[in-house]
Amino acid sequence: MGSFFKKDLLVFWRDRKEILMSLLLPIVIIFVLNIAFSGLFDEGAESMNIDVAIVQEDNESIGLEKFEEKVNDMDLPPAEKEALLTQAARISPAGLINEFFNDPEMKEWVSVQELSREKATELVKEGKLDALINIPEGFTYSVLSSMLLGENIETALSINVKEESTEVNALQDMVTNYVNTLNFQFALGSASEAGMTEPELPQGGREVVEGVESYTMAQYFTFAIGTLFALFIASTVAMKTVTEKRERVFNRIILTNSKPFDYLMGKILSTFSMTWIQLLITLTVTQLLLDVFSGMSFEFWLGTILVITAFSIAVAGLSALFTPITLRLDDPNAANGLFLMIVMAMGVLGGSFFPIDFLPEWVQKIGEWTPNGLTQATLLEWIQYGSSEDLIVPIILLLSFFIVCLFIGMFLFPRRERV
C-alpha cells in the first residue's frame, strides 16, 4: 500500500502545471472575488445617497371634499357616516409620504425636494436626480376610498427613473414597505373597536442576535472556492489511471499479485493528502493576504481543521469511486466528461458558484448533502455560532460518504479476468 501511495504522489508531483493550478488558481480566484465585492456587504461600507424629487399634483382639499360627497350619498346610518368622515379628516395620504421622507434619520441618506413635473423630469434625464415620486391627481380621494371603503385603488404613486440602480431599487423597496405598513395599520385600526389611530412610521434597523457572529463574503468565497477545487483533485487523480492503462502499468501491477484494495488505497491516500494540503495552503495564504479570519480563536482553527480533514476524506472517497469507473470505461474522454459533470453538479448544488439561499428549499436540502455543500454550511455555521457540538453530525456524514463511496468503488473495481 505504501508503494502505491508513493507512486501516486510522484505521478502527481511530476505534473507541475497541475500542481500550480490546484494550489494557485483557487487563491487567485478568491483574491479577485474579494476585491470585486469588497465593501458591498460590509458593515463599514459607505452609505448610499439618494436624490429624489416629489411631484405634488394632487389637491388634498378637493380629494377630501369628493370623498365627503361620496360618503354622504351612500346609504349608511348617520353615525357611521360621521365616523368615516372623522377618520378621513385625520388622514393625509400625501402628508404621510412627505413626513416619511422628511424624517431626520431618513434625511441622512435621502435628499428630497418638491419640484414641478417638468423640472423633475428634466433633472432625472440629466442624471442629477435618481428618481421622482409622482403624487398624481386624485391620490387623496383614491387612498381614502381604498382604506375606508375597501374599494380598489385607482390612482397610485409612481416612481420615474432613468435607469435601474442600487439606489433606485432601495428607494422602491422603501416606498413599497412603507405603503404596505400603512395599509396594514389602517386595516387594523378599522377592525379594532378603538378605531383608527395615528399611524406610526415604520422603523428600519439591524438586529444582532447575542452570541451569533455574521460571516463575511470573503469567508464565504474562501470556503466555496476552496471546496470546489478540492473536488477536482478527485477527478484528477482518477484520470491519472488512464496513463497507467495506456502504458500497461496497471497490468504489470496485477501480474505482481498485488491486491486491488492496496491499489485503490494508494489513490485514496494520495487524494486525501493533496486535498488536505491544498485546503490548508488556501486558508493560510488567504488569511495572510486578506486577513479573512481576523481575530479567530485557536478553538476556531482547530474545529476548521477537523472539518477540513473530514472533507478531505470524503473527497478521497470520491476518488475511490472515480478510479474503477476510469478502469472500466474504454474512452477516457467519456470518463473525464462524466467526472466533470458530477463535480460541476456538486459545485452548483453545494453553493460553490453562488449562494443558493434564493433557490427552492428542496434544492438547498439536496445541496447540503453534497460534500462541498455540507462542509461549506458547517464552516459558516462554525463562524456564526462556534458550537463544537454542531461539528459532530457533519463530520460523521462526511465519513459516511467516504465509506459508501469506498464500498461502491470496491464493487466496481475490475476483476483480474477482466483485465
Side-chain angles (χ1 to χ4, degrees), residues 17-256:
K17 180 181 178 181
E18 190 69 39
I19 292 178
L20 291 176
M21 291 281 289
S22 300
L23 297 181
L24 296 182
L25 192 55
I27 297 174
V28 172
I29 293 178
I30 293 171
F31 186 78
V32 171
L33 289 175
N34 186 70
I35 293 177
F37 291 92
S38 178
L40 184 59
F41 301 96
D42 295 340
E43 296 179 17
E46 183 181 355
S47 60
M48 65 179 67
N49 184 21
I50 307 176
D51 294 317
V52 180
I54 295 181
V55 177
Q56 175 65 272
E57 296 182 337
D58 181 51
N59 190 315
E60 188 171 324
S61 59
I62 295 178
L64 184 58
E65 290 176 3
K66 186 178 178 181
F67 178 77
E68 290 178 359
E69 292 177 0
K70 182 174 184 177
V71 172
N72 290 326
D73 292 339
M74 296 176 66
D75 186 15
L76 295 173
E80 188 173 344
K81 289 183 179 180
E82 184 179 354
L84 287 173
L85 295 177
T86 301
Q87 291 178 354
R90 295 166 55 185
I91 300 174
S92 174
L96 289 173
I97 298 297
N98 285 288
E99 183 181 354
F100 174 66
F101 283 104
N102 288 317
D103 184 85
E105 293 185 1
M106 185 67 68
K107 281 188 172 182
E108 293 181 1
W109 56 292
V110 178
S111 301
V112 181
Q113 51 184 319
E114 189 167 337
L115 300 173
S116 64
R117 185 177 184 85
E118 294 75 15
K119 182 63 175 179
T121 302
E122 180 183 351
L123 292 177
V124 169
K125 290 181 178 179
E126 294 175 356
K128 296 180 180 179
L129 287 178
D130 294 305
L132 70 86
I133 299 177
N134 183 40
I135 303 178
E137 183 180 356
F139 179 72
T140 298
Y141 171 76
S142 182
V143 171
L144 292 177
S145 299
S146 174
M147 289 182 174
L148 301 179
L149 303 180
E151 297 181 355
N152 293 329
I153 191 167
E154 298 178 357
T155 306
L157 288 175
S158 62
I159 302 177
N160 298 341
V161 300
K162 181 179 180 181
E163 58 185 10
E164 291 291 330
S165 64
T166 304
E167 289 79 5
V168 170
N169 293 333
L171 179 65
Q172 291 174 337
D173 290 339
M174 282 191 303
V175 174
T176 301
N177 292 334
Y178 177 69
V179 172
N180 290 339
T181 302
L182 288 181
N183 290 336
F184 180 70
Q185 291 187 11
F186 284 127
L188 288 179
S190 300
S192 66
E193 296 180 358
M196 192 171 299
T197 59
E198 187 71 19
E200 298 179 3
L201 295 179
Q203 300 293 326
R206 179 172 180 263
E207 295 184 3
V208 180
V209 180
E210 185 177 354
V212 178
E213 299 290 338
S214 60
Y215 62 86
T216 64
M217 289 304 294
Q219 292 167 346
Y220 168 81
F221 290 141
T222 301
F223 293 142
I225 301 301
T227 53
L228 174 64
F229 276 85
L231 294 176
F232 283 107
I233 292 182
S235 62
T236 300
V237 172
M239 288 305 297
K240 299 294 182 182
T241 310
V242 175
T243 304
E244 296 176 353
K245 286 177 58 179
R246 184 175 60 250
E247 298 180 358
R248 304 291 182 179
V249 174
F250 182 71
N251 298 72
R252 292 196 293 270
I253 292 174
I254 296 298
L255 291 175
T256 60

Side-chain angles (χ1 to χ4, degrees), residues 360-387:
E361 186 175 354
W362 64 271
V363 177
Q364 298 181 35
K365 293 296 182 182
I366 295 176
E368 292 177 359
W369 284 94
T370 60
N372 56 311
L374 178 59
T375 302
Q376 180 179 305
T378 302
L379 291 175
L380 293 178
E381 289 183 2
W382 178 234
I383 293 176
Q384 292 178 283
Y385 304 101
S387 176

Side-chain angles (χ1 to χ4, degrees), residues 5 8 227 230-235 237-238 263-276 279 308-324 346 371-372 398-410:
F5 172 57
D8 290 317
T227 53
L231 294 176
F232 283 107
I233 292 182
S235 62
V237 172
Y263 177 83
L264 199 58
M265 283 303 298
K267 300 290 184 182
I268 292 172
L269 292 176
S270 60
T271 303
F272 166 78
S273 301
M274 288 180 285
T275 303
W276 194 75
L279 288 172
I308 286 176
T309 302
F311 173 69
S312 301
I313 295 175
V315 175
L318 203 60
S319 178
L321 180 62
F322 288 169
T323 298
M346 287 184 173
N372 56 311
L398 289 171
L399 296 179
S400 301
F401 179 85
F402 165 76
I403 294 174
V404 171
C405 289
L406 178 60
F407 276 106
I408 297 176
M410 290 295 297

